[in-house]
Amino acid sequence: MRYFTAIVFSAAIILAALFLGNAYVDRANPDGKISVTGSGSTDFTSDLIVWEGQFSRFSPNLKTAFDQMITDKQTVEAYLISKGIAREDIVFNSMQTNERNQSQYENGNFVGSVFVGYDLTQTVKVESKEVELIESVSREVTELLNKGVQFNSYSPRYYYTKLADLKIEMISKATEDARLRAEKIAENSGGKLGKLKDAKMGVFQITGQNSGEDFSWGGSFNTSDKNKTASITMRLEYEIK
């Protein structure tokens, strides 16, 4: 009877050890899965440019200012066309009118304001795939000052018309990168990669090349640089055999 009790007790210890060992393995890898993150990036050059500029006039007389603006608009349009920009790529926004008032002071105290005239402004926008041409014009447009036009040029914005295709390419690269990482991890752990259980796309980023621009949690979309870098991450979850 004593020997029988010892045998039962020993068997219980072995079973308990096996149970605890399995429990440890289950806690370490509860579902027999592995999650990895892969990334993909590529450099590209923008193929669409949007450039804007604004011209203005001031006059105490509204009609005088308006007539001057009409002449300036014709001058601006003729200038842009002479530089090789297609007429259909030039869009003039509506003219804006604001009254200008001058503050009046007596003995250093503000006593009111007096109407002095009208400020009229108008914006012109050029959207074109002739990126280098528009860049050149945006830098040379100060020549309009010699024609009597008070013109202010804004910085061009750069876009890419094949962004959807580029995004698909990035997803493919990031997915392949994640799969290779998962295979390596499975191999190092003595297992094999099983079925893909889940895939989640991370943030799609577009930053300027060599700009030192920071990544954003919400995704950055650079429009100030012609040469850009697109990047994306993919998180994959595989079964482990």
Side-chain angles (χ1 to χ4, degrees), residues 160-169:
Y160 190 59
T161 59
K162 300 175 183 178
L163 196 58
D165 294 336
L166 184 67
K167 194 170 184 179
I168 292 174
E169 179 186 342

Side-chain angles (χ1 to χ4, degrees), residues 4-147:
F4 177 76
T5 302
I7 293 172
V8 172
F9 183 71
S10 299
I13 293 176
I14 293 172
L15 289 173
L18 288 173
F19 175 78
L20 291 173
N22 287 335
Y24 177 80
V25 171
D26 288 342
R27 285 196 301 270
N29 193 5
D31 300 318
K33 298 176 183 178
I34 183 172
S35 295
V36 290
T37 299
S39 62
S41 65
T42 190
D43 296 334
F44 66 96
T45 301
S46 304
D47 62 358
L48 179 70
I49 186 171
V50 177
W51 167 66
E52 292 179 288
Q54 185 182 79
F55 53 99
S56 60
R57 282 286 181 175
F58 168 79
S59 176
N61 184 276
L62 181 59
K63 186 179 185 308
T64 299
F66 180 79
D67 290 342
Q68 291 173 334
M69 287 292 290
I70 294 298
T71 300
D72 288 347
K73 177 182 176 181
Q74 295 171 346
T75 302
V76 170
E77 185 175 35
Y79 173 82
L80 296 178
I81 293 174
S82 72
K83 291 294 184 177
I85 299 176
R87 187 184 299 271
E88 58 268 24
D89 292 338
I90 304 171
V91 177
F92 287 90
N93 295 325
S94 60
M95 196 179 302
Q96 303 295 315
T97 304
N98 291 294
E99 294 184 358
R100 184 189 297 186
N101 296 291
Q102 188 174 58
S103 298
Q104 300 293 307
Y105 296 88
E106 289 184 3
N107 299 321
N109 298 315
F110 176 75
V111 295
S113 58
V114 177
F115 170 77
V116 293
Y118 297 91
D119 284 304
L120 272 64
T121 59
Q122 190 166 18
T123 300
V124 58
K125 182 173 75 172
V126 175
E127 184 173 324
S128 172
K129 290 187 176 182
E130 299 291 337
V131 177
E132 292 184 0
L133 171 64
I134 306 306
E135 279 184 323
S136 176
V137 174
S138 71
R139 291 191 292 264
E140 299 171 354
V141 74
T142 50
E143 293 173 345
L144 282 170
L145 294 174
N146 295 328
K147 299 179 182 294

Side-chain angles (χ1 to χ4, degrees), residues 164-178:
D165 294 336
L166 184 67
K167 194 170 184 179
I168 292 174
E169 179 186 342
M170 293 298 92
I171 292 173
S172 177
K173 285 186 176 183
T175 301
E176 177 64 13
D177 181 54

